[in-house]
Amino acid sequence: MVVGQIIGGEYGELLVRQKSGQIIEIGDLLSIDDIILQVYDLAYGSLLEDTDIARMSGMQLEGYDDTSLMEEEIRNYVSAKAKPLVHVKKGVAKIPKRLPGFFGTVDRVKKDDFYFMEEPENSLYLGKVRSGSMVLDVPVKINGKEALSHHILIPATTGRGKSNLVKVMLWDMVPKEWCGVLVIDPHDEYFGRNEIGIKDHHDARDKVLYYSPNPPKGGYSLRINISLLRPWNLRGIIDITDAQSQAMYVYYNIYHDNWLKAILRAEAEDAKAHGIHETTLNVLQRKLQLSFDVRMVNGEVVPRGSIFVTQGSDNMVNEIADALEDGKKVILDTSSMSGDKELLIAGMITDRVFNRYKKYKELGELDSKPTIGIVIEEAPRVLGERGGRNVFHSIAREGRKFRVGLIAITQLSSMIPREILANMNTKIILGNEMKSEREAIIGSAAQDLSKDGKNIASLDKGEALVSSIFTKFAVPIKIDLFDDVVEGGRKKTKLEFFG
Ligand SMILES: Nc1ncnc2c1ncn2[C@@H]1O[C@H](COP(=O)(O)OP(=O)(O)O)[C@@H](O)[C@H]1O
Ligand SMILES: [Mg+2]
């Protein structure tokens, strides 16, 4: 259906005159020849002089007779600015390098225009192609295995659908063998303890593990024996001075697994013998007691809470790492923990997996392993400047060499160093009204999104723009509502069952 005509502009900035009776919106996809355009701005156009328009408006407002324009739809119009998104040549998507025909008419895109989109290997479903606010029945899938190891960033303001998107992605990944996913869930919203969630997937029983400090039936207890901690697990997560850090390493080198207990028990004399200042020891002891929720009773380390323990549970980190390596999805309910504890635990597990994968790489065994994804909320907590050199930083920098990637969720991309942002090679951009945030995202995207500021600002709940080195162009999508996906999954299972 013809919605307009090209009346001017230049490469990357075409002017389309809207046909009267048609409505073109920001974000709409239009097609002309074999090129798909995307509208990024709208303005009025008129053949009349400004003064004439003002005079006529005055007459209409003040009640003078018949001032209606002859052929108004010809004189006044809406003009849309559009940029070429993709050029389809013999079924293959290319970056457009030419202008569509001058004065050519443009149509709205149809499902068939996307015949070139094919099913990638190890696919990960994200949503459906969206033209403005209209959804087309064209699924958007990326090569998930590649995308995951090159990190996925999900930036948006609160309430735009980040969590919903992660649920939709997890649902799709549950049965897939090419990835293991660790979900650190500070809102306990993914498993679906009390509502619909990942647990409702028909493969969940075999493929999903749920760890919680107070697990429901079928879940596992989230408890960590403090002997599993290593000094480097604290790096970039707990504020520690160099002197304190050195003290930890001194004890670790002497006492190995028992280093933490040894520090907590240490007397000033003992520390002095290892070259550690009394005040350093005292402050460190207090910090460690606080971080790990333990206290000293008659020279013994006693847990105060239920998460960090001194006896038993010494295999949890390995169990989780095994499950991930087995392509399972592991959800950690960290909703009852302080941020520090959450990150300590997440960091320990991540560190274990990362080290194993480094080893596999050395041994040349990486190809037989699933890619590991780590879902982390409020990512700037660990990726921001303050984070220093924690394991998440290391993964963001070099994880892709070892097939370990982050799925980083954030409201504040601007707090993540540019170098790391640029390393996140797939960005699923949801709505954001903050200009500084949009600029940080646009400045580090895989495609040129310099014209997409308004487009991103106007994204509604569940509407997104996928910019990835694994897509030929920045694909506008509508993400399904998770509840609908679950419902659809149920119907399908029923059909299979009876069919
Ligand atoms: N894809 C979507 N389609 C329709 N509505 C959505 C979609 N995603 C989210 N919503 C709505 O927006 C609300 C907030 O979504 P949520 O995923 O919790 O946002 P965020 O995690 O970004 O704060 C949801 O409760 C839901 O009602
Ligand atoms: Mg959320």
Side-chain angles (χ1 to χ4, degrees):
M1 192 198 323
V2 174
V3 290
Q5 193 161 22
I6 304 235
I7 56 168
E10 57 189 88
Y11 180 81
E13 199 175 320
L14 299 166
L15 275 183
V16 177
R17 179 183 163 131
Q18 176 184 288
K19 182 171 162 34
S20 75
Q22 294 293 330
I23 291 180
I24 296 180
E25 293 181 359
I26 293 252
D28 272 359
L29 300 180
L30 308 173
S31 78
I32 175 164
D33 306 338
D34 296 321
I35 298 176
I36 294 176
L37 313 175
Q38 185 173 38
V39 175
Y40 65 85
D41 209 352
L42 296 168
Y44 293 115
S46 178
L47 304 180
L48 302 171
E49 296 287 338
D50 286 354
T51 48
D52 288 337
I53 295 172
R55 183 170 47 78
M56 284 172 52
S57 160
M59 290 175 74
Q60 284 194 3
L61 287 171
E62 305 313 327
Y64 288 82
D65 291 344
D66 194 22
T67 52
S68 57
L69 267 182
M70 301 258 294
E71 303 168 314
E72 173 163 3
E73 72 278 8
I74 292 179
R75 290 166 198 253
N76 295 330
Y77 57 92
V78 167
S79 82
K81 279 189 184 164
K83 63 171 189 175
L85 209 56
V86 57
H87 183 183
V88 186
K89 270 190 197 162
K90 299 194 181 112
V92 181
K94 302 269 184 198
I95 295 171
K97 294 209 169 119
R98 63 172 180 81
L99 291 174
F102 186 63
F103 232 54
T105 53
V106 299
D107 297 320
R108 266 185 217 293
V109 287
K110 308 176 295 302
K111 181 179 173 181
D112 298 345
D113 294 327
F114 293 89
Y115 73 98
F116 62 90
M117 304 236 303
E118 32 184 60
E119 173 101 18
E121 253 184 288
N122 302 316
S123 79
L124 171 59
Y125 171 71
L126 299 177
K128 298 211 170 79
V129 170
R130 172 180 59 81
S131 166
S133 40
M134 192 180 77
V135 184
L136 277 77
D137 187 20
V138 180
V140 176
K141 298 177 180 180
I142 54 175
N143 182 326
K145 193 170 160 109
E146 286 296 325
L148 206 54
S149 59
H150 285 70
H151 314 296
I152 299 178
L153 182 75
I154 304 179
T157 321
T158 308
R160 294 303 175 99
K162 298 185 292 297
S163 300
N164 180 79
L165 166 61
V166 172
K167 281 187 208 166
V168 171
M169 286 164 61
L170 283 174
W171 185 267
D172 189 56
M173 290 192 282
V174 166
K176 297 188 169 165
E177 308 273 338
W178 52 259
C179 64
V181 182
L182 174 67
V183 186
I184 301 146
D185 185 1
H187 306 297
D188 195 16
E189 60 186 331
Y190 294 116
F191 181 70
R193 181 193 281 257
N194 300 314
E195 62 275 301
I196 295 181
I198 302 302
K199 71 166 190 315
D200 297 295
H201 198 289
H202 50 83
D203 291 329
R205 197 185 279 266
D206 298 332
K207 301 283 189 184
V208 179
L209 275 63
Y210 179 59
Y211 283 82
S212 168
N214 52 332
K217 207 169 143 260
Y220 298 87
S221 284
L222 182 51
R223 299 210 198 305
I224 301 254
N225 192 308
I226 57 170
S227 66
L228 297 177
L229 274 152
R230 298 291 173 261
W232 55 88
N233 293 145
L234 283 70
R235 188 170 54 199
I237 287 173
I238 288 171
D239 281 325
I240 285 192
T241 63
D242 287 345
Q244 291 160 3
S245 174
Q246 274 163 24
M248 293 197 299
Y249 279 95
V250 167
Y251 272 82
Y252 178 64
N253 288 332
I254 302 170
Y255 297 96
H256 311 292
D257 281 3
N258 280 320
W259 70 276
L260 191 55
K261 283 185 188 166
I263 292 186
L264 290 169
R265 284 193 199 122
E267 305 279 346
E269 286 304 305
D270 175 41
K272 215 182 267 166
H274 299 310
I276 297 162
H277 225 273
E278 185 175 346
T279 41
T280 304
L281 177 72
N282 289 341
V283 179
L284 186 57
Q285 285 177 331
R286 243 182 297 131
K287 269 189 193 168
L288 294 175
Q289 288 190 23
L290 210 65
S291 299
F292 301 113
D293 231 357
V294 292
R295 62 193 166 130
M296 299 305 293
V297 178
N298 301 329
E300 276 311 305
V301 182
V302 178
R304 298 160 76 101
S306 66
I307 296 162
F308 287 105
V309 297
T310 49
Q311 272 155 20
S313 299
D314 40 15
N315 209 24
M316 195 193 87
V317 174
N318 272 329
E319 277 168 17
I320 294 180
D322 289 345
L324 293 172
E325 255 184 57
D326 206 18
K328 295 194 173 150
K329 317 299 172 279
V330 180
I331 301 175
L332 301 188
D333 163 24
T334 57
S335 59
S336 61
M337 297 175 205
S338 68
D340 280 2
K341 290 198 182 73
E342 169 183 33
L343 296 179
L344 271 170
I345 293 175
M348 282 171 77
I349 300 168
T350 305
D351 193 58
R352 180 69 51 92
V353 174
F354 195 35
N355 280 329
R356 283 192 186 186
Y357 269 57
K358 280 181 180 163
K359 179 79 35 73
Y360 296 143
K361 164 112 184 168
E362 239 174 72
L363 299 171
E365 292 172 2
L366 209 49
D367 284 344
S368 62
K369 301 286 173 187
T371 294
I372 305 288
I374 294 160
V375 178
I376 179 131
E377 285 258 356
E378 292 174 51
R381 286 185 299 169
V382 284
L383 297 181
E385 301 288 359
R386 179 188 161 263
R389 303 266 151 183
N390 60 45
V391 63
F392 302 100
H393 254 258
S394 312
I395 290 180
R397 289 223 172 75
E398 48 167 17
R400 77 184 144 97
K401 284 192 279 185
F402 307 102
R403 301 257 164 86
V404 181
L406 301 176
I407 299 178
I409 305 168
T410 183
Q411 301 177 45
L412 292 171
S413 310
S414 60
M415 303 285 283
I416 299 175
R418 250 193 99 96
E419 173 208 351
I420 289 186
L421 266 189
N423 247 344
M424 314 215 113
N425 285 329
T426 298
K427 299 190 173 70
I428 308 176
I429 307 162
L430 291 115
N432 208 319
E433 55 271 310
M434 280 168 69
K435 192 154 187 244
S436 54
E437 290 307 313
R438 293 199 302 267
E439 279 166 358
I441 300 161
I442 288 171
S444 63
Q447 282 91 9
D448 174 14
L449 301 185
S450 57
K451 301 244 164 60
D452 285 279
K454 288 185 186 171
N455 197 350
I456 295 169
S458 67
L459 292 175
D460 221 328
K461 285 180 181 182
E463 296 179 349
L465 199 57
V466 182
S467 172
S468 169
I469 59 169
F470 304 106
T471 58
K472 279 284 165 48
F473 60 103
V475 193
I477 63 166
K478 169 72 172 68
I479 297 150
D480 299 344
L481 194 57
F482 179 66
D483 292 17
D484 296 342
V485 174
V486 175
E487 207 40 52
R490 283 201 180 124
K491 280 195 194 120
K492 233 170 47 204
T493 331
K494 264 191 204 137
L495 273 179
E496 275 165 17
F497 190 75
F498 291 113

